Amino acid sequence: MGGAVVSIDLIHFAQLNLLPKYFNLVIENHGLAAEPASAFQSQGSIYFGLAILLLGFVFKEATRIHKEQKLTV
């Protein structure tokens, strides 16, 4: 789930900043120009996705430790 949130924001970043540069190279001869976005506004979502990934790792490790402790008497 966290990976999905992070990947969506990275795709959005590429769409806002990299595609206009590519289109400028393609349509350079026609006198048109596309401007990249001035700022990337979704850093909060990237941090949220990374937090979800971190919590997933913590809960997975806690489950492993709990199973190990159940086996010990």
Side-chain angles (χ1 to χ4, degrees), residues 14-55:
Q15 181 184 14
L16 289 177
N17 293 315
L18 300 177
L19 285 178
K21 292 177 185 177
Y22 171 74
F23 287 139
N24 282 339
L25 292 174
V26 172
I27 60 175
E28 188 175 65
N29 297 332
H30 299 291
L32 302 172
E35 294 184 15
S38 61
F40 183 58
Q41 301 293 330
S42 297
Q43 288 114 2
S45 296
I46 290 176
Y47 295 141
F48 182 67
L50 291 174
I52 290 173
L53 287 173
L54 178 68
L55 282 174

